[in-house]
């Protein structure tokens, strides 16, 4: 199962990346995030564990599996027979930038989980993209 959302942002890629990479501040401007905590006490980066609490979802620990400063990162969490990978990518676009967020779910139970919660996952990804867009446009 895969969900992807792309939005154009009227802010520089640097301004957008600052918003995307500052994961612990996401709850300030993204309604689908209650708490985001870097568990190793460091800045996010490869291998960093991050605990995320969201409405209507179990609290999960994600591990950053890819970190390309200024461009993208991906993190992954496994629970109940499903591995979920979240991707976050910033790219230049004219005078602004674009943001692409994706969720991929794999594993034996992924089709069932996608059927039961796909609408919520799609909505959350869209809300998160719009929250990051607004924050970057306000700050950058």
């Amino acid at each position: 199962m895969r969900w992807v959302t792309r939005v154009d942002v009227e802010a520089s890629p640097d301004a957008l990346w600052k918003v995307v990479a500052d994961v612990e501040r996401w709850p300030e401007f993204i309604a689908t995030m209650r708490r985001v905590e870097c568990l190793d006490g460091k800045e996010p980066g490869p291998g960093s564990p991050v605990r995320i609490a969201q409405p209507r979802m179990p609290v999960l620990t994600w591990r950053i599996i890819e970190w390309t400063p200024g461009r993208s990162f991906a993190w992954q969490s496994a629970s109940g027979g499903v591995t979920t990978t979240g991707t976050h990518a910033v790219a230049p676009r004219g005078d602004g930038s674009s943001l692409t967020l994706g969720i991929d779910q794999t594993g034996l139970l992924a089709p069932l989980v996608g059927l039961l919660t796909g609408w919520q996952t799609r909505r959350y990804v869209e809300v998160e993209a719009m929250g990051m867009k607004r924050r970057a446009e306000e700050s950058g």
Side-chain angles (χ1 to χ4, degrees):
M1 304 299 303
R2 179 168 173 77
W3 296 270
V4 176
T5 296
R6 183 184 171 279
V7 295
D8 292 335
V9 180
E10 299 304 319
S12 71
D14 287 341
L16 178 57
W17 176 253
K18 286 178 185 171
V19 170
V20 172
D22 194 2
V23 299
E24 289 187 306
R25 297 193 73 180
W26 288 2
E28 295 174 15
F29 56 91
I30 299 175
T32 61
M33 296 288 169
R34 292 228 169 112
R35 189 184 61 221
V36 180
E37 177 186 10
C38 293
L39 297 178
D40 61 6
K42 302 176 186 174
E43 294 291 316
S48 294
V50 181
R51 183 176 298 134
I52 299 177
Q54 296 182 276
R56 298 190 192 116
M57 305 266 297
V59 175
L60 295 173
T61 298
W62 296 73
R63 183 155 312 272
I64 296 177
I65 58 172
E66 173 199 316
W67 186 268
T68 306
R71 292 198 49 159
S72 65
F73 83 90
W75 51 23
Q76 201 167 65
S77 182
S79 176
V82 177
T83 298
T84 304
T85 304
T87 56
H88 314 75
V90 173
R93 182 199 52 81
D95 290 342
S97 53
S98 68
L99 172 65
T100 304
L101 301 181
I103 292 285
D104 291 285
Q105 292 180 324
T106 59
L108 187 60
L109 296 179
L112 178 60
V113 170
L115 182 64
L116 296 174
T117 65
W119 64 272
Q120 179 179 314
T121 301
R122 183 173 31 261
R123 181 177 169 276
Y124 277 23
V125 171
E126 291 168 358
V127 166
E128 290 159 15
M130 293 309 294
M132 290 178 195
K133 170 185 168 71
R134 277 191 301 275
R135 183 68 157 220
E137 290 177 345
E138 290 169 359
S139 66

